[in-house]
Amino acid sequence: MFRPPIKANVPPGQQHRDRDVTTTTKTPALSGIHNVRDLGGHPLAGGGSTRYGAFLRGDALRGLDSDGLRALLDSGLRTIVDLRSHAEVADGPNPLAGHSDIAYHHIPLYDGLATIEAMAEAHPNGFDMGLRYRAAMDSCQPALAEALGLLAQAGEGTALFHCTAGKDRTGVIAALLLGHAGVGAEAVVADYAMTASYGAGLIDVLRQKALARGTDPDRAERVLASRPETMQATLIWLDQTYGGATSYMQRIGVSSGDCDALRARLAG
């Protein structure tokens, strides 16, 4: 049995619109962090909507204060899958790693993937983060399968998966979970695009850091943006190349039992 979702810090029923799709989300009331949100409330193709309290997607929780930590624990959070690199974790450990009530797992999702800089140099006139998402789904399949398996096998309570900004690695996992559960492509795109509003504060911090390092402003914007068309193109590619989210999961080695568990956990 899943516990109730974290209390929202937006009015009940606040909605996000992207094109003709309306999705409703509850944003956890967690001071000091950005871009944490529940995967519940997205419309399912067969009717109904995804369940609240199953999965949270988010950033690295680095600014989370003691009240926020308690709010997460009280809400029923019991599993964390950290998708960041070893260097990122060493620089800013998840504040709940090692907590007695949390099953914490670290899966460096993009290990072995070419750097953003290398990809941008290879595509000087057409780079956007969709190219990176597609490269990751081609070349990081064992790590993706492991992360999805851990989420499928998570015990009672809410499971949080996160990277640094809660946009890219997190966005790939979220798109796969939602698509597999039966959420339509336009709603998946809308969920991805919500980072532009929910994560605006964190994205601005990352933008300033990138510019301070001398990153070209246009490249910084391409890397930090969460444009709907980026995820839309990725989903079209996923359908054409692998037959969609469910077929992709099966192809990369997620067991049928774990696929069933993921769908049941999110779609009921």
Side-chain angles (χ1 to χ4, degrees):
M1 179 181 296
F2 295 112
R3 300 192 182 192
I6 301 168
K7 181 180 179 182
N9 63 3
V10 294
Q14 178 172 322
Q15 297 174 326
H16 171 88
R17 292 185 178 272
D18 181 75
R19 298 192 179 188
D20 296 324
V21 175
T22 299
T23 57
T24 303
T25 67
K26 295 185 178 180
T27 304
L30 304 172
S31 60
I33 63 168
H34 309 267
N35 212 24
V36 173
R37 56 188 187 268
D38 201 300
L39 285 191
H42 295 288
L44 295 168
S49 58
T50 54
R51 298 174 61 187
Y52 287 106
F55 295 113
L56 288 176
R57 56 172 292 170
D59 61 20
L61 308 182
R62 291 182 65 174
L64 196 63
D65 59 21
S66 58
D67 289 341
L69 290 172
R70 177 49 52 190
L72 280 171
L73 293 171
D74 288 348
S75 75
L77 179 66
R78 293 296 178 266
T79 301
I80 293 175
V81 177
D82 187 337
L83 306 172
R84 297 176 296 162
S85 69
H86 292 288
E88 288 171 300
V89 171
D91 181 58
N94 184 293
L96 284 169
H99 193 284
S100 60
D101 292 335
I102 297 292
Y104 171 83
H105 308 277
H106 175 216
I107 309 296
L109 195 66
Y110 280 2
D111 263 16
L113 189 65
T115 65
I116 290 176
E117 290 75 15
M119 288 187 176
E121 291 297 333
H123 301 86
N125 298 316
F127 175 78
D128 76 357
M129 292 301 285
L131 291 170
R132 189 162 177 80
Y133 305 158
R134 299 191 282 278
M137 283 192 275
D138 274 340
S139 63
C140 301
Q141 294 178 0
L144 279 161
E146 185 176 5
L148 291 164
L150 288 168
L151 292 171
Q153 296 158 26
E156 181 179 346
T158 302
L160 164 71
F161 56 97
H162 75 86
C163 53
T164 293
K167 178 174 79 74
D168 302 314
R169 288 161 289 190
T170 296
V172 168
I173 294 289
L176 291 170
L177 290 174
L178 291 171
H180 174 62
V183 175
E186 291 188 16
V188 175
V189 169
D191 176 73
Y192 170 78
M194 287 180 193
T195 288
S197 54
Y198 285 112
L202 177 58
I203 295 300
D204 187 57
V205 169
L206 296 175
R207 179 184 296 108
Q208 297 307 316
K209 288 182 177 180
L211 296 177
R213 293 194 302 267
T215 303
D216 176 75
D218 178 67
R219 180 177 296 179
E221 291 306 315
R222 287 174 180 268
V223 169
L224 295 171
S226 52
R227 299 181 302 154
E229 52 266 36
T230 297
M231 182 55 69
Q232 185 176 49
T234 298
L235 295 180
I236 291 171
W237 171 88
L238 183 65
D239 283 342
Q240 293 176 341
T241 306
Y242 290 100
T246 298
S247 178
Y248 175 79
M249 289 184 184
Q250 295 168 341
R251 287 271 298 272
I252 68 174
V254 180
S255 71
S256 58
D258 283 349
C259 285
D260 290 344
L262 287 170
R263 184 181 291 110
R265 189 178 185 99
L266 191 53

